[in-house]
Amino acid sequence: MSPAPQRAAQLSVDALDVAYGDFQVLWEASLRVEAGEIVAVLGPNGAGKSTLVNAISGLLRPRAGSVVFEGHRIDAMPAHRRAGLGIAHVLERRRLFPFLTVHDNVLLGAHNARARPQREETLARLETLLPLLKTRRAQLAHTLSGGEQQMVAIARGLMARPKLLMIDEPFLGLAPMMVAEIGELVRRIRDEQGIGVLFIEQNVELSLRLADRGVVLESGRTVLSGPSAELLRSAEVKRIFLGEFA
Amino acid sequence: MTLLRVNAITKRFGGITANRGITFDVASGELVGIIGPNGAGKSTLFECISGFYAPDEGWVELEGTRLAGLSPDLVCRRGIARTFQKLRPFQGMTVAENVMVGALTRTKDVKHAREQAHEWLRRVGLIEKANAHARTLSTGQRKRLELARALATGPRVLLLDEVTGGVDQRSIPALVDLVRELHAGGLTLLVIEHNMRVVTAVAQRIVALHMGEVIADGETAAVARSPKVVEAYLGQAYVA
C-alpha cells in the first residue's frame, strides 16, 4: 500500500532542533510522510515524540531545521495556518471541550476557511464513518467513554478536511476492544478517504501492525525509520527500548 | 542481609489493580532497578513503600520491622527517603532551605542542618545555587535538589523515581555518576527508570513490572533479555 518512494514527500521534516528554554528535546530530527501513508512515531518515554508532532502542527516553534508540507515551508507559520493547509492534529488525551456536545465539538474542527463552507457535507460523510456522531449528537463530551471521546476527537480533526491527520497516542488508556476499533478507524480513514495518518504510540508491535512505516526516536534523535515489516524484526528496535543487553 | 522486604503488596484503585502481590527483598547495599512499561505500577509501588499510599494487602519491612500504617514522614524517619517523578520542591524556599528540611528530620540544630545541607548540595553539584529560590531552578537542577533533600534525611534506603526523566540529555551522565557514587558509598537504592540505558548502566539487578505484577526479577542482562520483558515492552513479535 505504500506509495513508491521516489515521489516527493507530502511532509518532510529536516534536522529539526526543538528546545524548551535551555532544555533541548529534539536534535536534528528528520521525518518523511508520503501522501496517504500511515506512519507510526515510536520511542521510549521522553524520547521527544509529542514534541516532534507539536512542532509539525505549530504548537511549538523549532530552533533550527525545516518543516515542508506539500511544497510550503511551514515551520515559521502559526498553527492555524498549518491547519488551513491540511494538517490536523488530534492532541494527546483528546482534549475535547468537556461541556460542549459531541456535535459542537465536531463542528469546531471545521474552523479553517477551506473547511467551513463544506462543513455540513463533511459532517454527513463522517457520520457514515462514525455513527456515534449522529447517535450521540447532543451528548456532552465528558460523559462519553474514553474510546468514544477518541472517536469524537478524531472526527473533529477530520472536519478540518486534512490531507494529513496526526494523532498523539490514539490508544492511550483504551480497553483492547476499543484499541482494535480505533485501529480499524485509522485504516478506513486512509483507505476510504485517502488521508495520510501520522500517529504516536507506546505499543510498538500494535503500531507497526497498523502502520506502513515507523520512525523511532531515541533521546530526541530520529535514529531509525523503515517499513513496518522491517522494524518488526529489528534488533535495533529491541536495543532502543530495552538497552544494550537485550 | 535483607534490609527491605516488599511483601505481597496489592493496591487497587476502583476496578484497577495497580500492584498485585508484589514481593521482593533488597539486601543492604544493593542497587535495584525497577522497570516496566507505562502504567506497570512502578510509581504506585514507591507510594506504597514510602507510606503515601496504604496498600490494600501486604506490607513493607525495614530490617524485619513492619512499616504498616506509618505516615510518610515517619517512614522517612525510619530511613526510607524518596524523590518524586513530578518534582515537589518547596517553591518559596531557597535551595539550601529545601535541603535543610531534610536534614532537620535528623537534628534539631539549625546550624548543623545548614552545614549538612551545604555538604549535600556540594555532592549533587548544586552548591552555587544554594541561595536561589527553588522555583528559579531548571528541571535538571530541581532533580538534584530533590536528591539532596532526600539524602539529607540520612536514609538507609533511597527511592529514586525517574531521576533522569525530563532532564536534558547532556545532564544525564553526571546524574548517573552521582547514583553510582552513592551506591559505592554503601547506600541501598531502588531506582525507577524509563531510560533502559541508565538502568543497565547502574543496576546489577532489575525487578520488572507489567500490569501491576512482577514479571522478572534477577540479574540485569537476564531481565533485559527475558521473553516476558521483551513482550511487555515491544510485543510478541520481538520474542526470539
Side-chain angles (χ1 to χ4, degrees):
Chain A
M1 194 65 208
S2 306
Q6 63 268 26
R7 272 171 52 181
Q10 180 186 52
L11 173 74
S12 92
V13 174
D14 279 296
L16 212 60
D17 286 353
V18 180
Y20 302 95
D22 65 350
F23 177 15
Q24 187 165 341
V25 176
L26 290 183
W27 303 76
E28 301 183 359
S30 297
L31 168 75
R32 288 179 136 55
V33 181
E34 313 286 341
E37 229 184 350
I38 301 180
V39 176
V41 179
L42 306 166
N45 252 26
K49 304 184 292 295
S50 291
T51 299
L52 176 59
V53 169
N54 290 345
I56 295 170
S57 69
L59 297 180
L60 291 171
R61 292 286 169 85
R63 177 173 289 178
S66 67
V67 182
V68 175
F69 183 72
E70 299 201 324
H72 304 273
R73 177 90 187 249
I74 61 169
D75 44 79
M77 246 180 218
H80 70 276
R81 286 195 51 213
R82 302 190 202 193
L85 283 177
I87 299 179
H89 183 179
V90 180
L91 299 170
E92 187 179 351
R93 295 179 192 279
R94 352 299 182 201
R95 305 284 177 183
L96 294 177
F97 298 99
F99 294 101
L100 291 186
T101 62
V102 165
H103 187 64
D104 287 340
N105 264 288
V106 170
L107 287 186
L108 281 166
H111 184 76
N112 75 69
R114 202 163 50 86
R116 215 176 318 155
Q118 306 167 66
R119 74 179 193 179
E120 295 310 320
E121 180 203 326
T122 315
L123 180 60
R125 206 176 57 191
L126 286 179
E127 280 171 352
T128 334
L129 186 70
L130 287 162
L132 97 160
L133 297 180
K134 213 171 193 167
T135 57
R136 305 296 187 87
R137 186 184 169 97
Q139 195 170 329
L140 295 183
H142 76 97
T143 65
L144 299 171
S145 76
E148 290 164 346
Q149 290 193 24
Q150 187 66 68
M151 289 180 186
V152 174
I154 289 172
R156 184 174 61 183
L158 290 172
M159 284 298 288
R161 298 186 75 101
K163 298 166 187 168
L164 175 66
L165 181 71
M166 304 196 296
I167 318 177
D168 194 340
E169 300 237 29
F171 310 114
L172 188 70
L174 302 186
M177 285 277 287
M178 199 41 101
V179 168
E181 210 168 314
I182 299 282
E184 186 52 32
L185 175 64
V186 168
R187 235 179 239 120
R188 290 181 63 192
I189 287 168
R190 192 272 300 277
D191 294 350
E192 294 172 18
Q193 321 228 346
I195 298 168
V197 180
L198 178 73
F199 70 98
I200 294 176
E201 172 53 39
Q202 301 267 344
N203 184 324
V204 177
E205 186 174 5
L206 173 76
S207 304
L208 292 176
R209 298 221 179 272
L210 176 61
D212 302 311
R213 277 194 312 116
V215 176
V216 186
L217 277 162
E218 183 184 24
S219 307
R221 298 174 194 273
T222 38
V223 290
L224 204 58
S225 78
S228 296
E230 228 167 74
L231 295 182
L232 271 169
R233 290 187 302 266
S234 160
E236 184 65 4
V237 169
K238 236 170 155 173
R239 185 198 61 75
I240 291 165
F241 283 83
L242 288 167
E244 309 296 339
F245 293 114
Chain B
M1 186 201 69
T2 296
L3 179 60
L4 181 79
R5 167 163 290 173
V6 175
N7 188 78
I9 293 260
T10 292
K11 178 68 186 170
R12 300 184 196 91
F13 299 98
I16 295 165
T17 305
N19 284 170
R20 192 192 303 269
I22 293 186
T23 298
F24 60 89
D25 289 351
V26 180
S28 183
E30 241 188 322
L31 192 163
V32 180
I34 310 284
I35 67 163
N38 264 12
K42 306 181 293 294
S43 289
T44 299
L45 177 64
F46 268 23
E47 303 294 339
C48 289
I49 296 174
S50 58
F52 281 82
Y53 290 159
D56 295 306
E57 291 160 35
W59 64 84
V60 175
E61 285 175 22
L62 187 68
E63 271 199 318
T65 308
R66 286 199 201 183
L67 303 179
L70 294 185
S71 57
D73 56 314
L74 292 177
V75 172
C76 177
R77 282 170 201 271
R78 293 286 181 94
I80 300 180
R82 68 172 296 184
T83 63
F84 295 88
Q85 185 182 6
K86 293 201 172 122
L87 299 164
R88 295 175 174 184
F90 303 113
Q91 299 278 12
M93 293 185 183
T94 67
V95 167
E97 285 164 352
N98 263 275
V99 183
M100 285 172 68
V101 171
L104 285 166
T105 62
R106 294 287 163 206
T107 173
K108 290 207 183 328
D109 180 346
V110 174
K111 186 163 169 272
H112 183 49
R114 182 169 287 119
E115 284 163 11
Q116 284 190 327
H118 280 87
E119 181 51 34
W120 283 116
L121 287 172
R122 259 187 288 280
R123 283 288 300 277
V124 304
L126 206 55
I127 190 68
E128 78 284 4
K129 292 280 181 186
N131 297 317
H133 268 90
R135 70 168 75 87
T136 66
L137 299 185
S138 71
T139 305
Q141 289 167 337
R142 280 186 286 151
K143 293 259 175 188
R144 288 167 179 274
L145 170 56
E146 287 223 337
L147 194 54
R149 186 177 62 184
L151 287 165
T153 68
R156 310 181 59 194
V157 181
L158 179 61
L159 313 179
L160 298 180
D161 197 347
E162 297 272 359
V163 79
T164 67
V167 173
D168 196 307
Q169 292 304 320
R170 292 166 293 199
S171 313
I172 289 178
L175 277 168
V176 169
D177 285 347
L178 181 59
V179 171
R180 279 205 180 114
E181 259 176 58
L182 292 168
H183 179 229
L187 189 63
T188 305
L189 292 111
L190 256 62
V191 179
I192 291 181
E193 187 54 66
H194 257 289
N195 186 330
M196 282 296 287
R197 289 192 176 190
V198 171
V199 187
T200 49
V202 299
Q204 294 77 51
R205 175 183 163 205
I206 288 180
V207 173
L209 304 182
H210 184 45
M211 316 270 276
E213 296 185 56
V214 175
I215 55 166
D217 177 354
E219 186 248 329
T220 295
V223 170
R225 284 190 209 110
S226 136
K228 278 186 176 172
V229 171
V230 173
E231 188 179 348
Y233 270 86
L234 294 167
Q236 183 68 42
Y238 291 89
V239 178

